[in-house]
Amino acid sequence: MTPAPPASADHETLVHFLGRTTLFGGLGKRDLEHLARFVLVRQFRDGESIYEEGRPGAALFLVRTGRVEITKRMADGSTLAVASLDPPASFEELAAIGGEVARWTSARARGAVELLALGRADLESLSRQNPSAANKVIVSLAEATARRLHLLLESQGT
Amino acid sequence: MSSPASAEWRIARRVLLAAAFIASAWVLWQARSLLVPCIGAAFLAYVCVPAVDFVERNGLPRAAGVILVALAGFVAVIGVGFAIRSAAPSAEGVLELKVRAIHAVAGRYARLMDLDETSLRGNRLHQLVGREADATVARAARFLALTPEEDRLLVTQGSLDARWERLRRQHFEDEALLERRGLRDPARASTDSADSTDAWAGSMAASVAVLAQLLPAWVTAFFLFVFLLADDGRIKRDLFALVPNRYFEPVLSIHADLHATLQSYAKALFTQCALLGFTVALALAIAGIPPRWALVIGFFAGMANVVPYAGIGTALAGGMLYALLGYEAHPFMPFVNAENLPWAVLAAVLATDAIKNAVYDPLVFGGALELHPVAVILGVAAGATIFGFLGALFAVPALAFGRALGGSVFRQLRSYGAI
């Protein structure tokens, strides 16, 4: 049997991985294949900054390998670890659906990390080209955002 | 504090960057004949990508979508070619057109200057600018002069046909009138005839040479077009792989800004061309040009509108040509007749231009093209001078793209703290 070319193999793995995530798990194989064209693969070294608090967000991220630490700068100058994310977690969903909102946390790679990034414009392209798939994604994004808000409120004891 | 070695390295890096920039600019300049068709192909591919996506979304492979879109484009080009060919007049049609044109030029000039029968005296206007105007009319007459073949055709064509008889009489009268006024150069036709074979061979050779020069560029552009249409996002992924992590999100935002600018520009341009073509056809039909011809002129004006101001220019040239050639008028308004049809056409085109400026431009383009008119005119002139017709065609999208790129780079780098 002829082996598949490496690019197709990567693409297949990417499709498989996207299907395992909470955000895109509800999509069919064809929709996932379509979505896989939009995502960009990013590699980060240990300790490298993924994004900084206060800067605008342009993409949501999915952790494919490694661990990502989310931190928040406190008023007294100290840094609070908010969350530690492992595959196949997603973060910064608001950046993909929101407007020009400044990020309220920072993210840093712990060990070698591979992320998948999906830009806001890519999500808009997806909604034009494949409205039903985009609708499912947006519902998942809204759910994820609501869950985070709920966790935040719980952590503050309200 | 930085060490002297790192300072030297910084200077060396800047020099290298400047050298690389100059070398890139030089390569681009050398390859400019290839560059413009390739930019055109890229823009066309960008416009056609949604069609390929649509085909793919409906279950066909992307390659099938590319083939279908390329075939549709090919059929459209062939169709337009046939339409132009069928609209183009035959040898008899060209002859009739020339005879009518000479008659219109001679007659309208005589009326404008109020020339007497001797054609030597005219009104104040003739006294004022007669010499220059005579020279212009003489040039027009030379341009419209019949070739010996056309002369023979005029004599033999429809010898018993009243229409041709009228045209023959009209032509001989006009020729006599022009010659009497010294506005006719009889040597012209015979010179043309003697050299016509050589001139034809020369022009064919020149055309073949131009075609041979252009062919590699157009073949390259076609393959680039197909390659970009077939791309499933790999080009973007590969380009983004080159971007360092700290610049990833700013570059993603810049890419989104440019995508939005180009997309809205392409949509707005298509809408404006369609609206302008329809308005020109309607206005010319109301002015008195038969609806069939008004539609033809409107179609070409809409197509020409991809170059700024060329749409209105085409409408004016086409309408005036029809009106001045003395064809009959089909006015909706009772006061318009064949005599004042050129004024009605001028008014119709000016009204169309006003509608375009006051309604279509702000409504259709809105924020898609925030360019000053002077910048547009200078950009089109510079594009046409450096790159010819294609330079004029792509001057405005290039300006819009450059403006969006500059603004977006500055805005994004500042908001991400890179500058």
Side-chain angles (χ1 to χ4, degrees):
Chain A
M1 192 179 146
T2 316
S8 300
D10 278 355
H11 186 73
E12 195 59 44
T13 319
L14 200 64
V15 170
H16 181 72
F17 171 78
L18 287 170
R20 285 200 296 125
T21 61
T22 317
L23 282 182
F24 307 120
L27 300 181
K29 189 167 182 282
R30 218 165 107 188
D31 291 340
L32 288 172
E33 278 173 351
H34 193 200
L35 183 72
R37 288 181 188 170
F38 291 101
V39 296
L40 299 165
V41 181
R42 307 299 304 174
Q43 314 274 353
F44 290 86
R45 292 187 312 273
D46 181 29
E48 193 177 355
S49 166
I50 297 165
Y51 63 79
E52 291 293 335
E53 189 176 334
R55 301 290 179 206
L60 78 80
F61 295 98
L62 299 160
V63 187
R64 197 179 185 188
T65 58
R67 176 168 289 184
V68 173
E69 188 182 52
I70 309 288
T71 58
K72 168 94 185 123
R73 216 174 27 241
M74 304 307 289
D76 60 1
S78 62
T79 303
L80 175 72
V82 177
S84 187
L85 304 172
D86 295 310
S90 61
F91 57 106
E92 278 309 302
E93 291 87 354
L94 261 184
I97 51 172
E100 300 287 324
V101 183
R103 283 179 162 134
W104 66 284
T105 58
S106 298
R108 201 164 286 278
R110 287 284 163 249
V113 168
E114 185 176 285
L115 300 179
L116 300 182
L118 184 71
R120 188 164 50 236
D122 296 324
L123 198 63
E124 284 164 11
S125 295
L126 182 72
S127 60
R128 271 194 302 275
Q129 292 175 20
N130 197 340
S132 81
N135 198 33
K136 286 177 195 165
V137 172
I138 288 166
V139 168
S140 299
L141 285 171
E143 280 172 6
T145 311
R147 212 165 32 242
R148 292 217 199 297
L149 188 64
H150 184 72
L151 284 173
L152 182 72
L153 292 173
E154 265 188 354
S155 69
Q156 289 181 347
T158 49
Chain B
M1 192 179 150
S2 61
S3 66
S6 71
E8 279 169 14
W9 168 237
R10 258 205 313 276
I11 293 167
R13 205 169 60 172
R14 278 178 192 168
V15 170
L16 274 173
L17 270 174
F21 179 77
I22 291 166
S24 308
W26 184 80
V27 168
L28 285 178
W29 178 252
Q30 292 300 316
R32 65 190 182 279
S33 61
L34 191 67
L35 195 67
V36 177
C38 287
I39 291 174
F43 186 70
L44 201 62
Y46 184 81
V47 171
C48 292
V49 159
V52 177
D53 287 340
F54 176 80
V55 172
E56 197 183 16
R57 218 170 35 247
N58 284 283
L60 286 174
R62 194 166 183 84
V66 173
I67 291 169
L68 279 177
V69 168
L71 270 178
F74 185 70
V75 167
V77 168
I78 296 286
V80 169
F82 270 110
I84 291 171
R85 200 183 151 83
S86 64
S90 59
E92 289 82 13
V94 170
L95 177 60
E96 188 181 347
L97 205 69
K98 276 187 166 183
V99 171
R100 279 176 178 274
I102 292 170
H103 184 67
V105 168
R108 284 180 193 278
Y109 183 64
R111 279 195 293 278
L112 181 72
M113 296 297 183
D114 200 16
L115 295 171
D116 62 8
E117 275 305 303
T118 62
S119 298
L120 296 172
R121 280 193 302 275
N123 56 16
R124 296 279 299 207
L125 184 65
H126 188 254
Q127 287 163 18
L128 208 66
V129 293
R131 190 175 295 177
E132 293 78 12
D134 280 356
T136 307
V137 172
R139 269 200 297 277
R142 273 203 298 276
F143 177 73
L144 294 167
L146 302 191
T147 62
E149 290 79 21
E150 287 169 335
D151 266 330
R152 269 196 298 278
L153 187 65
L154 183 66
V155 172
T156 54
Q157 180 72 31
S159 53
L160 297 174
D161 189 320
R163 188 168 66 97
W164 279 100
E165 189 50 48
R166 197 171 60 247
L167 277 174
R168 265 193 292 276
R169 204 173 50 245
Q170 198 177 66
H171 180 64
F172 295 139
E173 281 171 16
D174 290 334
E175 286 289 292
L177 190 74
L178 287 167
E179 213 160 321
R180 215 165 46 239
R181 284 181 200 149
L183 302 176
R184 183 78 181 90
D185 179 9
R188 162 77 182 175
S190 57
T191 312
D192 278 357
S193 166
D195 296 342
S196 64
T197 314
D198 289 346
W200 183 82
S203 76
M204 277 302 286
S207 303
V208 169
V210 169
L211 199 66
Q213 206 175 16
L214 288 177
L215 205 58
W218 286 103
V219 169
T220 311
F222 175 75
F223 281 111
L224 180 71
F225 169 74
V226 172
F227 174 72
L228 291 176
L229 266 190
D231 176 57
D232 63 353
R234 196 190 172 109
I235 297 173
K236 183 186 164 189
R237 285 196 295 275
D238 289 350
L239 285 176
F240 267 93
L242 301 172
V243 178
N245 282 334
R246 65 180 294 225
Y247 295 117
F248 171 66
E249 284 196 284
V251 172
L252 197 63
S253 301
I254 291 165
H255 174 266
D257 287 350
L258 294 180
H259 180 62
T261 301
L262 271 182
Q263 201 169 45
S264 51
Y265 174 76
K267 270 186 194 165
L269 184 65
F270 178 78
T271 313
Q272 199 203 40
C273 286
L275 283 172
L276 185 83
F278 174 74
T279 314
V280 163
L282 189 68
L284 290 182
I286 291 171
I289 289 182
R292 179 171 167 262
W293 284 106
L295 270 176
V296 170
I297 297 168
F299 175 75
F300 283 107
M303 297 261 283
N305 191 52
V306 289
V307 177
Y309 308 110
I312 288 294
T314 305
L316 188 64
M320 279 297 180
L321 200 65
Y322 182 93
L324 289 173
L325 287 184
Y327 284 100
E328 63 274 26
H330 294 259
F332 280 85
M333 291 167 290
F335 51 85
V336 176
N337 53 42
E339 197 57 36
N340 60 20
L341 185 60
W343 294 107
V345 166
L346 183 66
V349 174
L350 288 178
T352 306
D353 192 39
I355 293 170
K356 176 181 169 287
N357 292 332
V359 184
Y360 298 162
D361 282 354
L363 203 72
V364 176
F365 274 103
L369 188 66
E370 290 161 348
L371 292 171
H372 196 277
V374 175
V376 171
I377 292 168
L378 286 178
V380 171
T385 309
I386 301 169
F387 297 114
F389 171 71
L390 285 174
L393 193 67
F394 291 108
V396 175
L399 278 175
F401 187 82
R403 191 184 186 282
L405 179 68
S408 181
V409 165
F410 182 72
R411 196 172 55 249
Q412 299 300 341
L413 291 183
R414 195 174 55 178
S415 61
Y416 281 92
I419 52 172

